[in-house]
Amino acid sequence: MHRTGRTRRTFVTGAAAAAGSAALPAGQAAAAPRGPRAGRTVAVLGGGVAGLTAAHELAERGFAVTVLEKKGLGGKARSMDVPDSARGGRRPLPGEHGFRFIPGFYRNLPDTLRRIPFPGNRNGCHDNLVASTEVMLARTGREDIRLPFSTLGTPPGPLSPDDLLRTVTGLLVTAANLPAHEVAYFANRVLVFFTSCDKRRLDDWERTSWWSFLRAARMSADYQQLLAIGITRNIVATKAEVASTRTVANCFEAFFFNMLGRTADGEPDRVLNAPTNEAWIDPWVAHLRSLGVRFEVGATVLDLPYADGRVTGAVVRDADGTRRTVTADHYVCAMPVEHARTVWGRALRAADPQLGRADRLETDWMTGIQFYLTEPTPVIHGHINHLDSPWSLTSVGQAQFWKGRNFPADYGDGQVRDCLSVDISEWSRPGILYGRTAKQCTREEVAREVWAQLKAALNDTGRTVLRDSALHSWFLDPAVDGIGTPEPRNDDQLLIHPTGTWFNRPTARTAVPNLFLAGDYVAVDIDLATMEGANAAARQAVNALLDASGSAAPRCTVTPLYRAPEFDALKRHDEFRYGLGLPNLFDLG
């Protein structure tokens, strides 16, 4: 193996760790770093949410951590400067891979946010979360549906099956105006899942698409758009026709009880009160540096050589093309799955077959574009699902949530007053302007097509919401490259969840004693490619590392999604029925 650059000796002496082996209580300042003991150096491969979470937990427990990141710290969660957009001493316009959505049913990520100090905030970066108050399903050529998040309120006590049916039915009758029999059927399917035992969820519903579970093919177009497609796009950002029912319904269940105020971290829909790096990533990196974490940005991991039953190093290429090997006692692979599996060589895969199964995991394109506007254009105080848009658009007006910022005074050239951030989820369907897919369009054509689809959804009810004259500029994630050519590329893709995906998701602990996996593709309770999933996977990876190293440090808390205790008895009954080969008690077929 070719070895250049840093040795293990330089890795150890160049890294520092926080004193002590115990995790620090929230809000407590770190002790001064000191040199690590033998066996306590860790190379974290990837600086996204998973990698930074792993570094955070390990540094608090006295490990010497170096994070290797190819692009920018924060990964897909980061915000980024729009090149050449700053004038007059202002900051560059903020761009991003996609807008942040941090629902109240997340339970692990919020804990990390509380432990990141932020000036003036008692609860650290967590206090930078602000709640939206509504969501809109924008219909093209039809009346839009606006839903306040206070619609359901908090029920007076435990829910019975009848209470659940009435709650779901009441919401849909009020908001969706669907045929009564379709509303009743959807409410029944919700009850079936909520009362299904874990065995049925895994063996049956993991292998059944959400589309099939809802019998969407037999229902009206509105049922399909609102309940099959709309729910998956808003809550889990995946495709109803192929997505596992277990994945979709697990998160729908948590979101539903979050709306009822059940054991939630906060409001159902929350965003940050500033661009992501300002509100979260930059303070996080600064805090990790204070704990002794070292960062090497521009280091691309090429290979994880394996010999004598262990990973022997991480071969990296620096931004200047230099190849070198970084060595440590332990390695946490926190890269996105499409990149991670390129560095798992044949010998490593032979040592742990679950690495090979990860090749079956699928990714797809979901990428953001931001439109900078010269007039405030909040539309609503929350997210918008452009339900009929061919490219499956979702959007949010951001400036309204950045209360501590004066957009024209702080960013750009002084003319921009708002940022409409849009996620494009469908890249392989023809648009309305050019009749081509997003992958077939140039970057400029993508921007014009998305703008046209936004206007078609928002300017169709007698008022002009988006004005061409207010469009200042736009920014498309630079990870998208080569579109409009025969070889379109996206370097930052999203893990998707077709039926059966769970069985190919690896665990954080591998059969290789010094290799651990952290990322939103790792098997965790939320079972969804999210920042919460990445955070939970990193916690599991750290716990596995602590076990392997014999550390006495406290293990990370990994909190599962909320599940209503009043349905436990029905789930036990369903487990009995499942063992007899019978359907769920409430399943009408």
Side-chain angles (χ1 to χ4, degrees), residues 12 16 31 44 56 64 82 113 125 127 140 162 276 330 369 461 498 503 564 567 579:
V12 172
V44 175
H56 193 161
V82 177
L113 290 171
C125 287
D127 286 349
T140 301
D162 184 62
T276 309
H330 313 281
I369 183 171
T461 54
F503 304 108
F567 294 129

Side-chain angles (χ1 to χ4, degrees), residues 368-443:
I369 183 171
Q370 289 77 55
F371 294 97
Y372 304 101
L373 309 172
T374 57
E375 60 186 30
T377 315
V379 189
I380 68 163
H381 193 255
H383 289 89
I384 306 169
N385 184 336
H386 302 266
L387 207 58
D388 302 312
S389 57
W391 289 2
S392 298
L393 306 179
T394 47
S395 67
V396 62
Q398 294 184 316
Q400 62 184 318
F401 296 103
W402 296 350
K403 296 300 184 182
R405 270 71 179 169
N406 182 322
F407 210 118
D410 293 342
Y411 302 101
D413 59 6
Q415 298 181 50
V416 176
R417 299 179 62 83
D418 207 346
C419 173
L420 184 62
S421 188
V422 185
D423 279 354
I424 308 169
S425 298
E426 177 56 72
W427 285 77
S428 300
R429 213 175 273 163
I432 63 175
L433 198 60
Y434 299 105
R436 297 198 297 273
T437 70
K439 292 179 183 179
Q440 294 170 332
C441 292
T442 65
R443 295 177 72 84

Side-chain angles (χ1 to χ4, degrees), residues 16 35 51 55 145 206 240 441:
I145 300 171
E206 172 62 22
C441 292

Side-chain angles (χ1 to χ4, degrees), residues 101-239:
F101 168 55
I102 305 177
F105 70 79
Y106 284 6
R107 308 182 79 182
N108 295 289
L109 182 67
D111 170 69
T112 297
L113 290 171
R114 287 187 174 89
R115 290 158 48 208
I116 303 170
F118 192 92
N121 287 359
R122 180 179 179 181
N123 297 302
C125 287
H126 189 277
D127 286 349
N128 291 336
L129 294 175
V130 291
S132 73
T133 57
E134 56 184 339
V135 65
M136 184 163 80
L137 306 179
R139 305 303 307 267
T140 301
R142 301 175 58 181
E143 192 65 34
D144 300 330
I145 300 171
R146 294 177 69 153
L147 297 173
F149 277 123
S150 59
T151 298
L152 297 180
T154 303
L159 287 176
S160 68
D162 184 62
D163 292 331
L164 178 63
L165 290 173
R166 289 175 181 272
T167 302
V168 175
T169 301
L171 173 64
L172 293 179
V173 167
T174 300
N177 197 31
L178 291 167
H181 72 280
E182 293 188 351
V183 169
Y185 188 77
F186 178 81
N188 172 261
R189 300 313 285 169
V190 171
L191 179 60
V192 167
F193 187 84
F194 283 15
T195 58
S196 287
C197 66
D198 287 342
K199 290 182 179 179
R200 191 185 301 277
R201 292 187 182 198
L202 184 61
D203 293 344
D204 288 357
W205 304 143
E206 172 62 22
R207 293 180 168 91
T208 304
S209 74
W210 181 243
W211 185 267
S212 298
F213 180 75
L214 295 183
R215 307 294 191 268
R218 307 177 189 177
M219 303 297 186
S220 67
D222 279 349
Y223 179 98
Q224 295 172 356
Q225 287 293 92
L226 292 171
L227 302 181
I229 296 173
I231 286 176
T232 57
R233 195 184 302 170
N234 272 330
I235 300 177
V236 299
T238 190
K239 297 178 180 179

